[in-house]
Amino acid sequence: MAQRVDATDPQDRQQAIQIATTAVKAGRLVVLPTDTLYGIGCDAFNNRAVEKLLQAKHRGPDMPVPVLVGSWSTVQGLVQNYTYDMRRLVEAFWPGGLSIVVHQAPSLPWNLGDTRGTVMLRMPLHPVAIELLQETGPMAVSSANISGQPPATTVQMAEDQLGESVSVYIDGADATVGTASTIVDLSSGRPRILREGAITAEQIGEVLGMSAEELRGDI
């Protein structure tokens, strides 16, 4: 039976995080709040758990699962090269609504889907998410909804869609942004925006020394 835990009160938050951490380490699915939207997540290195996550979303491996981290330093062990552009983006926008696609470290044993050797990484700007990630390590996290349905901005929206496929639902109040993260691809040499969301192309361009049009591929 799915369990909902309350992390909106600081006095209850630690217990909620402990319950969710236990579930993640046991290979089960949890729903967690982030700054942008609610996410459904699991241990990124537990391939069976990632399969269950895709099944819960009614989604195939052709749409790989992103990975959330709880600190800047964590990403350096997950990527093939910690490039200058990646470091600038991390320092400017993490924690926050920017996801970065890079080549993953070749030795990693995870299976996030058909990634073609890449991984999408983000550090969310939400205290509950960060505290959970610091306990669990990197988590495979996708938006907490059935594929094709509206993304969840509240824990109730997530529970209505995902039901008993999730073991623990963490109530962290409403998502403050309510918009998906912006995705920047650094894996093909020249940075480009795959999806514009919580962070604008202009903001990213200012950090990378590029125009918004260049990032969008308009020129």
Side-chain angles (χ1 to χ4, degrees):
M1 179 180 293
Q3 179 180 7
R4 188 190 291 198
V5 294
D6 186 5
T8 58
D9 186 331
Q11 293 185 337
D12 299 327
R13 189 162 82 194
Q14 193 56 48
Q15 182 181 11
I17 289 169
Q18 287 175 351
I19 291 169
T21 298
T22 298
V24 171
K25 291 184 176 180
R28 298 195 294 271
L29 304 181
V30 303
V31 159
L32 64 152
T34 78
D35 46 341
T36 54
L37 299 165
Y38 269 78
I40 176 175
C42 66
D43 179 355
F45 296 100
N46 186 324
N47 293 338
R48 177 63 189 127
V50 174
E51 287 178 18
K52 290 192 289 186
L53 188 157
L54 290 171
Q55 290 168 2
K57 284 181 62 71
H58 301 179
R59 187 162 119 179
D62 57 311
M63 298 178 68
V65 185
V67 171
L68 296 189
V69 297
S71 70
W72 287 2
S73 58
T74 302
V75 299
Q76 297 184 39
L78 304 179
V79 303
Q80 189 173 47
N81 295 299
Y82 190 55
T83 64
Y84 179 61
D85 281 346
M86 184 177 187
R87 180 173 65 80
R88 285 196 292 176
L89 291 175
V90 164
E91 292 177 355
F93 299 113
W94 282 13
L98 181 69
S99 298
I100 306 173
V101 178
V102 293
H103 289 287
Q104 67 178 42
S107 59
L108 293 176
W110 61 26
N111 182 7
L112 303 167
D114 299 334
T115 63
R116 295 181 173 84
T118 64
V119 62
M120 186 161 72
L121 299 167
R122 186 166 91 86
M123 181 181 177
L125 181 59
H126 195 292
V128 173
I130 288 176
E131 287 180 35
L132 177 63
L133 290 160
Q134 289 173 346
E135 292 293 328
T136 63
M139 288 181 63
V141 180
S142 185
S143 56
N145 61 301
I146 301 293
S147 205
Q149 298 298 313
T153 56
T154 68
V155 71
Q156 187 61 56
M157 287 179 67
E159 191 166 2
D160 288 344
Q161 292 191 51
L162 299 168
E164 295 296 319
S165 62
V166 171
S167 292
V168 178
Y169 289 85
I170 307 175
D171 186 354
D174 295 359
T176 54
V177 176
T179 303
S181 65
T182 295
I183 301 173
V184 173
D185 184 4
L186 298 182
S187 69
S188 57
R190 185 174 182 176
R192 62 192 178 100
I193 289 180
L194 302 182
R195 179 182 74 195
E196 197 164 349
I199 307 293
T200 67
E202 287 76 14
Q203 289 173 295
I204 295 165
E206 187 174 345
V207 170
L208 295 181
M210 298 174 65
S211 70
E213 290 74 22
E214 287 176 300
L215 285 166
R216 295 187 183 112
D218 294 339
I219 59 172

